Amino acid sequence: MRILLAEDDQMLSNGVTMALSQNGYLVDHVKSGSAADSALTQTPYDAVILDLGLPDMDGLEVLTRLRQRGQATPVVILTAREAVPDRVNGLDLGANDYMTKPFHLDELEARIRAVLRKDSWSNQTEVRYGDFVYDTVGRRLYVRGEPVDLSAREVAVLELLLQRINKVVNKQQLTEHLSSWESSISFNAIEIIVHRLRKKLLGSGCNLRTIRGLGYILEPPQ
Ligand code: CA
């Protein structure tokens, strides 16, 4: 899961980035509204954490432009503006949630999880195909009732494949999903992750198939 953090307070940004990274999210950080706007036109993010008081373009303007482009990326507004009209305005412009500063990192993470779940899993708390069960809240895989250890990258690949089950996902899409500005991932690395993940799915009934020249497809049991 790749998240854009638009926030000009460096200390706060460091804290949020560290907390989210520890939980397996990839975070790209920008400090101005125009940088957020251009990042959002270039990269398919899974969610945006958006400060409103940003240099050179207000956060509400960033949000307006995002929705005008028809992008449905979930947005959590993070701001010191706590007046009711500000909240109403933010939500009316298409924000999915709104948090006022100061806040607890745990609560921000929970809200991010909630908007991601709503967006990706239509609010399901688990995805079940016979012996394959994926807990979308705890982000844990169970095969025949047994928990399976997955790395953060394996989780990211599995989630993308699950969200597009029975559809081909190409290496470029996986690369964009698994890279941040600070760490980009190669096609080779993707192949290794998929190889490991395929082994871990043995016995689940779900088949992770390579479509030569196109990408990968996750097929549920017949
Ligand atoms: Ca600010």
Side-chain angles (χ1 to χ4, degrees):
M1 295 280 180
R2 189 167 175 181
I3 293 174
L4 182 69
L5 169 64
E7 169 63 66
D8 58 337
D9 180 327
Q10 189 63 47
M11 265 200 10
L12 195 148
S13 300
N14 291 347
V16 170
T17 302
M18 200 181 294
L20 291 175
S21 305
Q22 278 166 1
N23 285 294
Y25 297 104
L26 293 152
V27 181
D28 290 334
H29 175 218
V30 290
K31 297 173 188 169
S32 74
S34 57
D37 188 57
S38 86
L40 285 164
T41 58
Q42 287 161 30
T43 305
Y45 286 101
D46 295 295
V48 188
I49 300 171
L50 185 62
D51 180 24
L52 293 187
L54 286 169
D56 77 26
M57 188 191 291
D58 191 85
L60 288 176
E61 176 65 20
V62 175
L63 174 61
T64 304
R65 295 170 67 128
L66 178 76
R67 295 300 184 235
Q68 276 172 354
R69 288 192 297 271
Q71 291 177 269
T73 319
V75 174
V76 176
I77 288 179
L78 191 59
T79 180
R81 298 180 200 164
E82 58 180 17
V84 172
D86 281 329
R87 287 175 180 248
V88 170
N89 200 7
L91 294 168
D92 278 350
L93 286 172
N96 302 71
D97 206 346
Y98 199 108
M99 277 195 83
T100 47
K101 298 170 185 171
F103 62 93
H104 282 281
L105 278 175
D106 285 349
E107 187 181 353
L108 175 64
E109 279 176 53
R111 286 175 187 247
I112 292 287
R113 278 199 301 275
V115 295
L116 287 171
R117 199 157 62 237
K118 239 179 235 168
D119 188 54
S120 316
W121 310 105
S122 12
N123 249 353
Q124 296 175 80
T125 56
E126 66 173 38
V127 180
R128 182 182 286 270
Y129 296 107
D131 286 329
F132 173 104
V133 177
Y134 187 71
D135 164 7
T136 66
V137 182
R139 305 176 80 196
R140 293 277 282 159
L141 170 68
Y142 297 85
V143 172
R144 294 181 173 161
E146 294 294 324
V148 178
D149 276 334
L150 296 178
S151 68
R153 283 178 162 179
E154 287 164 355
V155 166
V157 169
L158 178 62
E159 288 184 346
L160 191 63
L161 288 164
L162 262 183
Q163 284 153 14
R164 304 186 189 175
I165 193 133
N166 267 327
K167 292 190 185 116
V168 176
V169 176
N170 65 39
K171 283 186 189 167
Q172 187 59 38
Q173 289 167 322
L174 284 166
T175 303
E176 280 170 4
H177 193 66
L178 268 74
S179 298
S180 68
W181 294 336
E182 283 172 5
S183 64
S184 70
I185 188 164
S186 66
F187 279 9
N188 254 346
I190 298 274
E191 283 171 17
I192 292 166
I193 295 165
V194 166
H195 178 74
R196 289 203 196 114
L197 189 57
R198 180 178 291 129
K199 279 192 186 163
K200 292 181 181 182
L201 289 172
L202 287 176
S204 72
C206 281
N207 184 25
L208 204 178
R209 198 149 66 87
T210 302
I211 313 282
R212 211 166 288 281
L214 282 179
Y216 305 101
I217 186 165
L218 187 67
E219 297 168 324
Q222 296 301 311

